[in-house]
Amino acid sequence: MTVKRLRVNDVRLSLLKERTLKECVADKLGVKKSALQNVQVLHRATDARRKDNICLLYHAAVDLDMPQPVMQRLLKRPGVSEFVPAKPELPSLGDIPLGNRPVVIGAGPAGLVAALELARYGYCPVVLERGKALNQRVKDVNRFWQEGVFDPASNVQFGMGGAGTFSDGKLTTRVNDPVMADILQAFVKAGAPQEILTEHKPHVGTDKLRAMVAGLADEIVRCGGEIRCETRAVDFVMKENRLTGLVLNDGTVMAAEAVILACGHSARDTYKALASRHVGMEAKAFAIGVRVEHPQTLIDKAQYGEFAGHPRLGVADYALVYHTEDKKRAAYSFCMCPGGQVVAAASEAGGVVVNGMSLYQRDSGIANSALVVNVAPEDFGTSPLAGVEFQRKYERLAFAAGRSSYKAPAQSVQSFLEGTRPSLADARSYLLEEAANRKAAGPAEKIPASVYERIPSYQPGVTECALDTVLPSYVSSTLKQGIRYFGRRIQGFDGPSGILTGVETRTSAPLRIVRGADYQSVTHAGLYPCGEGCGYAGGIMSAALDGYHVARAVMKKYKPF
């Protein structure tokens, strides 16, 4: 007999039957269940293409005790192979001595992972975070949401963990990079849930993400790094097109020859300082639009049919795209937050910005997503900072529409589509009727009736407004076409329960700080643009991956400090 560990892909577990994963693996291999040992989930996804037979799809590792000839036959089956554990790739370390500790600007996903990688291998990085430490930041953000008191230095965009700290905490990316497994393991060690290692669409939620951020920060310090909150680089010292230091917000000059710039997509003053030093950058496309909210039950029923609410499924999400006939514009969903809420995400006084957030349990009963339309330099100008001014223009219009109190302009989906008087009354009447129906249904209802009374969920509150007046006309018209199209994909999406809140402008950086193959700025050696803020990522995981690779580029050149 031979005991061998096998990888078995594409094991289907139908929700129509009460079966275990072990039973399904045994069926796939054509062996008795008793022959299997140590069945381990490697990957789990949901296949909801057939609403009458939704399946969970697994990749699994299993120890099998079989005669060698039988084992050889099994290895010839489709989807069956010998299990080979992933091995982290050790870095190649350079030989140039560092005169100063490497600096990481920004403690978002890119900056934290870059700093962790440097710290692991003896580089003793210094992390500069302009915002406040996590606990104080959470207090400041809650005060803004509850009382409308805005702090430009401590908000949803600035502070430990970056913008991702107040989000759904999605850890998905379209990048297929073997490094992902190593980063996810680091996240689990820092406090993230174990299942992020196996879920097809892993998320940690804002609550678990905060614990993870604290864990990453502790590990950076434990490995010899340093984190300085409320410390901002206000200028960059250059000599012969090489970075030699940073001017900090307290007036001191910090010598540095290797700086990873992971400033985040809202560090507009940093962009301006870099432009004044003629650092190479270019305008790039991004997207703007609104947030849409629906009762989560509407999305669950549309996506899962009669299986909606099944304990093995959780809440449903969606990804929607619509292209105009001329293919010049697209309306699409972005950063969909099942069971979450819409949040105030301004980073400048006098501007309204919306975003979405969920807790780990995703149990608010409210589904929200950005609905955005692509914009490009031909819309706002080719100068590197033109996109910033474009964003600012519509954020200020939204602020004015919200009566200059950080209330957000909002409108029902139906009044937006029909061009009638901007109103929330029709949607609220519908939602209150739903609430009454659920109260009558009794305590067996999983979603409490009070959920329907909390839409729109944005705090510090909303003001009825025609969203056409706070968005470019081509964005509004494309959104209207898109929402009607989405209503044919998800029943009720364009119906009476939907509410829109604006404006969503921070989908990604409006510019790119150009870097070369060695990850350094093409104009100024020693500056390593990194992550979403510099135009090289689009979400927590892709930013973390970029931070990892940029840190490795620094390590490849320099000796440990």
Side-chain angles (χ1 to χ4, degrees):
M1 302 290 279
T2 302
V3 177
K4 191 179 286 289
R5 193 160 179 79
L6 301 183
R7 180 184 177 101
V8 186
N9 288 347
D10 302 325
V11 180
R12 301 183 74 83
L13 194 160
S14 172
L15 296 183
L16 289 171
K17 301 177 182 178
E18 287 293 330
R19 304 193 70 207
T20 66
L21 176 60
K22 191 173 186 178
E23 289 171 332
C24 294
V25 173
D27 285 353
K28 173 121 180 149
L29 292 173
V31 302
K32 292 182 179 180
K33 186 174 68 170
S34 58
L36 304 182
Q37 305 169 23
N38 302 324
V39 178
Q40 175 192 354
V41 175
L42 300 176
H43 187 78
R44 176 186 180 275
T46 301
D47 183 352
R49 288 173 293 180
R50 288 185 56 188
K51 299 293 187 289
D52 61 342
N53 186 16
I54 292 178
C55 294
L56 302 180
L57 192 64
Y58 289 90
H59 300 337
V62 58
D63 292 333
L64 194 61
D65 190 1
M66 284 285 173
Q68 183 65 23
V70 176
M71 194 71 75
Q72 291 303 317
R73 286 198 297 272
L74 290 177
L75 286 169
K76 292 179 182 178
R77 286 179 172 244
V80 180
S81 60
E82 190 166 350
F83 177 76
V84 179
K87 294 182 180 179
E89 183 181 349
L90 294 176
S92 173
L93 305 184
D95 55 9
I96 299 175
L98 274 165
N100 302 280
R101 297 162 72 181
V103 177
V104 178
I105 296 177
L112 287 173
V113 170
L116 178 61
E117 195 65 9
L118 289 170
R120 277 174 168 175
Y121 293 97
Y123 286 79
C124 305
V126 179
V127 181
L128 308 181
E129 170 52 54
R130 66 188 297 157
K132 293 182 181 178
L134 194 58
N135 289 342
Q136 185 57 50
R137 182 188 182 197
V138 170
K139 291 178 183 177
D140 293 337
V141 169
N142 283 332
R143 187 180 181 205
F144 176 41
W145 292 345
Q146 294 163 14
E147 303 174 27
V149 179
F150 174 68
D151 185 342
S154 182
N155 48 64
V156 166
Q157 306 295 344
F158 300 144
M160 278 297 297
T165 299
F166 298 92
S167 72
D168 184 53
K170 293 179 188 66
L171 301 180
T172 52
T173 176
R174 295 176 183 174
V175 178
N176 186 15
D177 191 323
V179 169
M180 281 179 62
D182 190 33
I183 293 176
L184 289 173
Q185 287 283 0
F187 287 173
V188 170
K189 182 180 178 182
Q194 187 78 20
E195 64 262 27
I196 70 170
L197 302 177
T198 55
E199 287 296 307
H200 178 60
K201 295 181 178 180
H203 86 285
V204 291
T206 184
D207 46 346
K208 302 283 186 182
L209 187 61
R210 294 172 196 177
M212 187 184 94
V213 165
L216 290 172
D218 288 346
E219 184 67 4
I220 290 166
V221 173
R222 189 189 70 80
C223 292
E226 179 186 354
I227 298 176
R228 302 181 190 176
C229 289
E230 300 181 65
T231 305
R232 180 166 55 95
V234 298
D235 202 357
F236 298 80
V237 183
M238 307 292 189
K239 185 176 181 180
E240 297 177 352
N241 292 332
R242 174 174 288 277
L243 180 72
T244 62
L246 303 168
V247 181
L248 305 183
N249 52 318
D250 63 0
T252 61
V253 177
M254 182 180 189
E257 68 264 45
V259 173
I260 295 176
L261 180 65
C263 58
H265 61 34
S266 294
R268 293 168 171 175
D269 49 359
T270 303
Y271 292 157
K272 186 176 180 181
L274 290 166
S276 73
R277 296 298 179 185
H278 307 291
V279 171
M281 57 179 70
E282 59 190 13
K284 65 176 269 294
F286 57 102
I288 70 169
V290 295
R291 280 267 154 185
V292 64
E293 290 181 274
H294 295 96
Q296 183 64 49
T297 50
L298 183 148
I299 307 302
D300 291 346
K301 288 176 182 177
Q303 300 295 68
Y304 293 151
E306 293 304 312
F307 289 96
H310 193 287
R312 283 187 164 182
L313 287 178
V315 291
D317 62 5
Y318 56 79
L320 300 166
V321 182
Y322 164 79
H323 295 278
T324 57
E325 287 187 11
D326 60 9
K327 305 299 182 185
K328 290 182 179 180
R329 302 280 178 197
Y332 59 95
S333 61
F334 175 81
C335 186
M336 195 271 155
C337 298
Q341 67 186 85
V342 178
V343 299
S347 65
E348 287 184 339
V352 162
V353 181
V354 299
N355 203 347
M357 182 181 84
S358 299
L359 298 175
Y360 173 67
Q361 294 295 338
R362 288 177 163 173
D363 57 0
S364 77
I366 304 169
N368 81 81
S369 176
L371 295 183
V372 293
V373 174
N374 60 300
V375 294
E378 52 264 34
D379 296 312
F380 49 78
T382 56
S383 108
L385 299 180
V388 169
E389 291 307 316
F390 181 84
Q391 290 174 328
R392 189 176 275 143
K393 172 183 175 179
Y394 293 100
E395 291 164 13
R396 289 177 174 172
L397 283 174
F399 182 73
R403 300 175 185 172
S404 302
S405 62
Y406 294 102
K407 290 186 176 182
Q411 185 175 16
S412 72
V413 166
Q414 288 194 331
S415 67
F416 178 67
L417 293 178
E418 295 166 4
T420 56
R421 183 182 67 82
S423 173
L424 299 175
D426 51 353
R428 281 178 169 152
S429 295
Y430 180 87
L431 291 165
L432 288 173
E433 183 178 341
E434 282 289 302
N437 292 339
R438 290 191 172 272
K439 285 177 182 176
E445 280 290 340
K446 291 185 178 180
I447 304 298
S450 59
V451 164
Y452 294 85
E453 299 164 6
R454 297 204 303 268
I455 302 175
S457 59
Y458 174 96
Q459 294 297 328
V462 300
T463 301
E464 290 181 346
C465 171
L467 292 171
D468 290 331
T469 64
V470 295
L471 291 168
S473 58
Y474 51 83
V475 170
S476 292
S477 63
T478 305
L479 281 175
K480 290 174 183 177
Q481 295 170 55
I483 291 170
R484 292 188 178 99
Y485 175 81
F486 300 154
R488 298 196 291 273
R489 297 294 178 271
I490 295 180
Q491 186 175 1
F493 195 93
D494 57 346
S497 67
I499 287 181
L500 305 172
T501 309
V503 291
E504 174 108 2
T505 54
R506 310 289 179 88
T507 54
S508 65
L511 57 82
R512 178 175 291 110
I513 300 172
V514 186
R515 70 188 186 193
D518 61 356
Y519 291 91
Q520 291 188 83
S521 161
V522 294
T523 57
H524 291 79
L527 183 66
Y528 291 80
C530 177
E532 189 167 341
C534 293
Y536 294 98
I540 292 173
M541 200 64 205
S542 62
L545 283 165
D546 200 53
Y548 179 99
H549 289 299
V550 173
R552 289 274 173 130
V554 173
M555 293 155 65
K556 186 175 181 180
K557 182 174 182 178
Y558 294 103
K559 287 182 179 180
F561 183 75

